[in-house]
Amino acid sequence: MTTSTATAVAHPNIAFIKYWGNRDAALRIPENGSISMNLAELETRTRVTFDTSFPMDIFDLNGTRQKGSSYERVLKHLNLLRGIRGISTHAHIFSENNFPTGAGIASSASGFAALTLATIAAMGLELTEIDLSRLARRGSGSACRSIPAGFVEWQKGINDRDSFAFSIAAPEHWNLIDCIAVIEEGPKATGSSEGHQGAATSPYQATRVADSLRRLDICRQAIKARDFAALAEVVELDSSMMHAVMMTSKPPLFYWEPDSIRVIKAVQSWRKLGLPVAATLDAGPNVHILCEAGSEKQVEHKLLNIEGIHQVILCHPGDKAALD
Ligand code: DP6
């Protein structure tokens, strides 16, 4: 019997410029590049153990043995990674998120980033950050952005080799805070993977993609110059453009709940009154309110005063995925 094990920690990320729609769904080559910030306070910790005596692969998530589509998706990724080393040894995967399950915070980015790094290390390999990012992308597109540190850009690329993410600024570069207004998710939320497939059915998707280089430039420059006003404008525009595509796809996807709209409108009114804030939503009803350090307590207090908002999670810029 031979056994080998490794543990990795990765943070989820919030997209400032969103990934929505794939040119190649199997390889997860996106239609457009994207930019995000890792979230320091949230993390997935994953331990991967290979043992020649294991009769099958096991995946435990937050203490629950996984079956069905969640297990199949992880197994597919595990097989891709095992293929690099040419092994068929079974693995036990123990993964835990430190954020509340059911709070609507997507865990596929941190989950597949941590799984990729831990599996590669457990197989005794050391890969470059670019190669880790490329591999994580195959498990979940946004996971490629959870490999590098801080503020991260995913260059869309045209093939498997050149579609990966890299850091454009370290976490210490800018103390931005993501104040997540947690909103109850309804029972029938459509997952991102299914959503991406419908993106091309929206008449607005081509326009959104065609304008993406411009938005990426503005966002990248705003981050580099720590220009909050410029960042706020492009982040809100990009979120609205993605949700316009979602709402006009076939079938239409409406991720916004009444509470989401209440928060979006409140954020707009605070900004008019002079508080620098910006709102953005991924594929769910939670609203991510960005502000600079120093304003977060005020933002949190104001959010908790809005009907329907009972929980706010404050996140600073997070580090790269790392072995534990
Ligand atoms: C709206 O990365 O979750 O959050 O590749 O199918 O796993 P898969 O999709 P995923 O899509 C993320 C969509 C988004 C925008 C973003 O994070 O860029």
Side-chain angles (χ1 to χ4, degrees), residues 15 17-20 28 73 108 139-142 145 192-193 196 242 246 282-283:
I17 302 294
K18 316 285 190 188
Y19 146 53
W20 197 246
R28 287 189 161 86
R73 188 169 175 186
S108 69
S140 173
S142 54
R145 298 189 313 239
S192 308
S193 302
H196 287 292
M242 180 184 72
M246 291 164 158
D282 278 347

Side-chain angles (χ1 to χ4, degrees), residues 62-81:
N62 297 323
T64 305
R65 183 114 333 153
Q66 301 296 301
K67 297 184 291 218
S69 58
S70 141
Y71 176 73
E72 295 299 330
R73 188 169 175 186
V74 160
L75 194 66
K76 190 171 170 207
H77 197 58
L78 188 63
N79 285 336
L80 172 78
L81 299 173

Side-chain angles (χ1 to χ4, degrees), residues 239-275:
S239 178
S240 297
M241 286 178 90
M242 180 184 72
H243 284 274
V245 166
M246 291 164 158
M247 290 172 190
T248 51
S249 291
K250 220 169 149 180
L253 293 176
F254 282 77
Y255 285 107
W256 297 1
E257 292 295 329
D259 287 343
S260 316
I261 312 254
R262 242 193 297 280
V263 173
I264 292 170
K265 292 204 160 193
V267 166
Q268 287 171 351
S269 73
W270 301 340
R271 196 165 48 236
K272 274 203 191 107
L273 292 171
L275 181 66

Side-chain angles (χ1 to χ4, degrees), residues 102-113:
I105 297 164
S107 57
S108 69
S110 49
F112 280 98

Side-chain angles (χ1 to χ4, degrees), residues 8 46 56 60 96 111 126 134-135 191 193 304 306 316-317:
T46 301
M56 63 178 293
D60 283 343
E96 274 183 350
E126 243 183 85
R134 288 175 48 235
L135 287 168
S193 302
L304 289 171
I306 298 175
H316 295 78

